[in-house]
Amino acid sequence: MPHTLGVRPGSTFHERAHGDNTTTVDPAPTPVSRSSRHRFDRDEPTPPSTDAQS
C-alpha cells in the first residue's frame, strides 16, 4: 500500500484497516450546520413576478 498511495497515506490506511486508529474523539462535536430565525415586524408582500408572460 505505501507504494501505491505514498508512505504516510499508505501507512495510515494500513494501520486503520487493522483497527489501529489513535485519533482522539471529541465527545461534544461542533454541529455541522447552524440556523437562525428572523421575524419581520409586518407581513412582507411577495414581489411581482418578473417573468414575461405571452
Side-chain angles (χ1 to χ4, degrees), residues 3-7 10-12 17-19 22-24 29-31 33-37 39 43 48-49 54:
H3 297 292
T4 305
L5 299 174
V7 175
S11 296
T12 301
H18 287 89
T22 59
T23 306
T24 57
T30 304
S33 65
R34 299 172 193 260
S35 64
S36 65
R37 292 181 179 227
R39 298 231 179 227
D43 287 342
S49 177
S54 301

Side-chain angles (χ1 to χ4, degrees), residues 14-49:
H14 177 82
E15 291 166 2
R16 291 186 181 168
H18 287 89
D20 184 20
N21 185 353
T22 59
T23 306
T24 57
V25 176
D26 183 3
T30 304
V32 175
S33 65
R34 299 172 193 260
S35 64
S36 65
R37 292 181 179 227
H38 178 76
R39 298 231 179 227
F40 292 97
D41 295 333
R42 64 188 193 308
D43 287 342
E44 295 293 322
T46 304
S49 177

